[in-house]
Amino acid sequence: MGGSESTPQTETARPPEFDQPWRETPWGNKELLEKNLRELKLSDSNVKYIRILLAGEVGAGKSSFINSVSSAFKRRITTDALADNAGAAGTSFTKTYRTYYIRNGESVLPFVFNDIMGLESDYSPKESRGAHPEDIPKAKESRGAHPEDIAKALEGLLHEGHNFNPIASANKNDCKSETSPEDLTYCLVYVIAADKISMMTSDVIKKMRYIRQKASSLEIPQVIIMTMVDEVCPLVRKDLRKIYTSKKIKEKMQECSNSVGVPVSHIFPVKNYHEEIDTQNDVDVLILRALTQIVQIADDLVNRRKRKC
């Protein structure tokens, strides 16, 4: 009697996308998104513009996001904020506290961005295997933006052009003695690279959570801009409009939420301009849609502070 060989059952591959997008996106309304932002009126006429502070790990795309916003409005690729391939060097290219204005012709739109030195893991001798003995620090060494400096930036205390020092935060003499409504931060934006979220160290996450607690104590709303979406999902790399049907993108958004504590409703996946030489409608729509949400959330804080006065 010959026995028949059993063929192993192949596990059905999980579909990479949902049947329907789980978040609506106005792909055909780029002009309307742009128009609404250009014509934005803040809740308090005494506030000239709302300040948006960008924080995140080295190489996450903070400067590139600012450039992408500017590019969407100018309809050409711009490099107002100098960016660098920091992922290769491992250190922050941005060293100073600087304000970036988004222009509407000759006038300035009522929101500005502050780019800061990137967050980095503190250096430990354990990480220095193979290094020359003279290059190995004796003890753990602070690197990247000092969390206390970011806390001071939230309160509008840092001077324009402040040089970040990873070892020591700005002292009282280096900070403003008085602040105006425009100095204050109205929204804290964490910029996180989708392809790096699972590799974020405990040091960086700890620093982010400290900043989050400080922002929460000041009632400053917080969102996440998740960049590099095309690097983690082939579907999105081929067609950006699949960003909200991609299961991988939603999985990464949930991972961001779990790490930092920001709810998924306040997480916006985008693709920054990186190698393009011309702007693209779908890239602009995601950028402008995210910016719209940020500005609306920030203006809610403007309104709350107005009512308290």
Side-chain angles (χ1 to χ4, degrees):
M1 294 178 62
S4 60
E5 293 184 3
S6 60
T7 57
Q9 292 184 349
T10 58
E11 185 179 343
T12 304
R14 186 171 71 102
E17 59 181 320
F18 299 105
D19 293 335
Q20 297 292 329
W22 59 272
R23 185 183 280 179
E24 292 297 323
T25 306
W27 296 112
N29 287 338
K30 173 188 168 182
E31 288 74 16
L32 181 59
L33 288 168
E34 186 180 333
K35 178 176 180 290
N36 289 341
L37 286 165
R38 288 186 186 277
E39 298 176 357
L40 176 71
K41 302 295 182 185
L42 300 182
S43 297
D44 187 349
S45 59
N46 293 319
V47 178
K48 186 177 181 180
Y49 46 71
I50 50 179
R51 188 173 298 276
I52 302 163
L53 181 67
L54 304 182
E57 195 171 19
V58 169
K62 299 184 300 301
S63 300
S64 294
F65 179 69
I66 295 172
N67 288 333
S68 296
V69 170
S70 179
S71 298
F73 281 101
K74 292 182 178 179
R75 302 185 181 186
R76 62 179 177 83
I77 302 298
T78 66
T79 54
D80 297 338
L82 294 179
D84 184 51
N85 184 19
T91 57
S92 181
F93 188 66
T94 301
K95 305 293 185 183
T96 61
Y97 181 73
R98 182 177 171 186
T99 301
Y100 292 92
Y101 300 86
I102 307 299
R103 297 195 171 273
N104 180 20
E106 294 301 317
S107 61
V108 176
L109 292 173
F111 45 86
V112 299
F113 293 95
N114 275 114
D115 193 11
I116 61 173
M117 189 178 194
L119 297 171
E120 299 181 46
S121 296
D122 293 336
Y123 190 92
S124 171
K126 293 180 180 179
E127 303 167 0
S128 54
R129 288 180 183 175
H132 191 279
E134 292 181 359
D135 296 330
I136 301 175
K138 302 300 182 193
K140 199 163 188 178
E141 183 180 282
S142 296
R143 299 192 300 186
H146 197 292
E148 283 296 337
D149 268 354
I150 301 177
K152 290 180 173 72
L154 291 171
E155 297 182 86
L157 295 173
L158 293 185
H159 288 288
E160 185 77 8
H162 168 75
N163 290 310
F164 290 100
N165 181 349
I167 299 173
S169 175
N171 59 42
K172 187 176 181 179
N173 294 331
D174 292 330
C175 294
K176 297 176 183 177
S177 56
E178 296 182 1
T179 59
S180 68
E182 283 78 24
D183 294 325
L184 306 176
T185 295
Y186 289 90
C187 188
L188 171 61
V189 176
Y190 306 96
V191 181
I192 298 177
D195 62 334
K196 301 291 194 302
I197 177 63
S198 59
M199 295 182 283
M200 284 175 60
T201 66
S202 58
D203 275 347
V204 170
I205 292 174
K206 183 179 178 181
K207 290 175 182 179
M208 281 190 177
R209 287 181 174 169
Y210 172 81
I211 298 163
R212 175 164 167 74
Q213 289 176 351
K214 180 63 178 179
S216 297
S217 70
L218 297 169
E219 299 183 346
I220 296 173
Q222 299 149 64
V223 307
I224 290 175
I225 290 293
M226 192 177 80
T227 61
M228 314 288 187
V229 292
D230 52 324
E231 296 294 325
V232 295
C233 180
L235 283 172
V236 173
R237 187 181 305 123
K238 185 176 181 181
D239 183 358
L240 198 56
R241 295 196 178 196
K242 291 185 178 290
I243 196 161
Y244 288 122
T245 60
S246 166
K247 291 183 177 179
K248 173 60 74 174
I249 296 300
K250 190 170 187 181
E251 175 187 306
K252 288 296 180 180
M253 291 171 68
Q254 187 62 59
E255 199 172 345
C256 285
S257 178
N258 294 343
S259 296
V260 183
V262 172
V264 171
S265 60
H266 281 44
I267 299 177
F268 306 102
V270 302
K271 180 187 183 305
N272 284 334
Y273 286 114
H274 173 59
E275 58 188 6
E276 297 81 3
I277 60 173
D278 297 298
T279 58
Q280 299 173 6
N281 182 85
D282 291 350
V283 174
D284 287 349
V285 165
L286 285 178
I287 293 287
L288 294 173
R289 180 63 169 153
L291 179 59
T292 297
Q293 296 297 313
I294 290 169
V295 169
Q296 289 175 347
I297 291 167
D299 190 51
D300 287 341
L301 178 58
V302 172
N303 194 30
R304 288 196 301 273
R305 286 178 174 172
K306 177 185 177 182
R307 293 201 305 267
K308 288 182 178 179
C309 294

